Amino acid sequence: MDLGIKGKWALVGGSSKGLGLGCAQALAAEGVNVVMIARGAEALQAAAAGIREACPGVQVLPVAADITTPAGREAVFGAAGGPGKAFDIVVTNAGGPPPGDFRQWDRDAWIAALDANMLTPIELIKATIDGMAERGFGRVVNITSSAVKAPIDILGLSNGARTGLTGFVAGLSRSGLAARGITINNLLPGKFDTDRLKGTIAGTATKSGLSEEQVRAQQVAQIPARRYGHPAEFGSICAFLCSAQAAYINGQNILADGGAYPGTF
Ligand code: NAP
């Protein structure tokens, strides 16, 4: 299926690896020009080179920056050869907050989580949405977490910050922007095989005394698909949400978790 977005410009946060990279790869495969962002320049350049090789003819612009800071966002919007703030597609994503006990988290920990997982997506939407409306096309996909629907006790910082973003997006997506060609949706990953997941598996293994292999086996047994998701699968869903065909999907929280969430809705 031709997704009808060839030649558009996409901003993809946190895209040197993991889910963000999966999204950048899937969009580029559809002929979308991508601005890729991550803090570590080396991995970012390597990821960008891989996409250039796989998708000749697509413009790939890596910007090594911390997307959670005003200076980082200015670097993205000011990048030479980029579209400035005239993005057609914005995929918001940055690292997730650390796990822990809420008694250990001071105000700074909460502000960092809110900055990364709530306020940064809102700032990116604020900077780009009016231009999308003028051009009559826009797609925003926020990478959040299945923890928005089924909170995980040790991820309180994530539960709180992402739920704040989800509430904001629920209102914004119903404010009339869809009539101007803009959709805003959240894509909620369950367990995907990325570096972040490897880190949490190692943490759980240390805490529980189990081996990493045992932790993986326990986790996978609780997923009806009996496996972790692949970042490429996540990227494909993201690309579809950004497609011309998905113009009538708006204000939704779309779970990609292999069926792990046990509720009917
Ligand atoms: P990952 O494999 O650790 O990749 C994170 C990417 O984001 C890297 O490219 C990283 O590069 C970049 N990044 C992190 N902080 C950044 C910042 N401040 N500015 C710019 N780039 C930044 O993580 P992932 O598994 O893809 O997860 C992506 C998001 O989905 C996270 O918020 C995570 O909490 C959430 N999530 C993931 C899962 C899962 O199973 N994987 C499940 C639920 C939710 P640098 O470090 O070089 O900046």
Side-chain angles (χ1 to χ4, degrees):
M1 190 194 292
D2 177 355
L3 298 188
I5 47 178
K6 189 174 179 186
K8 305 277 189 205
W9 271 97
L11 177 163
V12 188
S15 48
S16 65
K17 54 187 180 175
L19 304 180
L21 177 56
C23 295
Q25 288 168 329
L27 287 165
E30 289 298 320
V32 175
N33 303 311
V34 287
V35 175
M36 300 172 67
I37 304 135
R39 294 163 303 180
E42 201 177 322
L44 182 65
Q45 292 293 349
I51 294 184
R52 280 193 199 104
E53 198 182 336
C55 310
V58 162
Q59 295 185 64
V60 182
L61 192 61
V63 179
D66 183 341
I67 195 68
T68 68
T69 65
R73 291 189 286 276
E74 279 318 305
V76 171
F77 294 131
K85 291 184 178 176
F87 284 97
D88 309 296
I89 294 167
V90 171
V91 180
T92 72
N93 179 39
D101 183 313
F102 85 98
R103 294 168 189 82
Q104 300 159 350
W105 298 328
D106 58 13
R107 181 178 167 76
D108 288 348
W110 275 106
I111 295 296
L114 290 168
D115 258 341
N117 299 115
M118 178 181 175
L119 301 178
T120 292
I122 293 172
E123 288 292 344
L124 292 172
I125 294 169
K126 187 169 88 176
T128 55
I129 205 107
D130 291 333
M132 291 177 184
E134 278 165 27
R135 295 187 300 279
F137 178 92
R139 296 284 183 268
V140 177
V141 177
N142 301 299
I143 300 180
T144 64
S145 174
S146 60
V148 171
K149 272 182 84 94
I152 300 166
D153 59 352
I154 56 166
L155 291 179
L157 290 170
S158 171
N159 300 338
R162 295 189 204 272
T163 303
L165 174 66
T166 304
F168 170 77
V169 164
L172 181 68
S173 60
R174 291 168 178 90
S175 67
L177 292 163
R180 306 189 66 185
I182 300 171
T183 66
I184 311 176
N185 293 290
N186 303 317
L187 188 46
L188 286 54
K191 284 192 165 47
F192 279 80
D193 204 358
T194 67
D195 281 3
R196 176 168 169 90
L197 187 74
K198 289 184 183 81
T200 60
I201 289 170
T204 307
T206 308
K207 211 170 150 188
S208 63
L210 297 172
S211 69
E212 291 185 21
E213 221 23 72
Q214 287 169 317
V215 173
R216 279 178 177 268
Q218 278 187 356
Q219 290 184 348
V220 163
Q222 287 166 9
I223 302 170
R226 298 289 183 263
R227 65 176 177 85
Y228 294 130
H230 192 281
E233 293 175 302
F234 190 87
S236 298
I237 301 169
C238 175
F240 181 74
L241 288 175
C242 296
S243 71
Q245 290 88 339
Y248 213 54
I249 301 176
N250 182 40
Q252 300 304 304
N253 289 285
I254 293 154
L255 198 51
D257 70 347
Y261 176 70
T264 305
F265 301 107

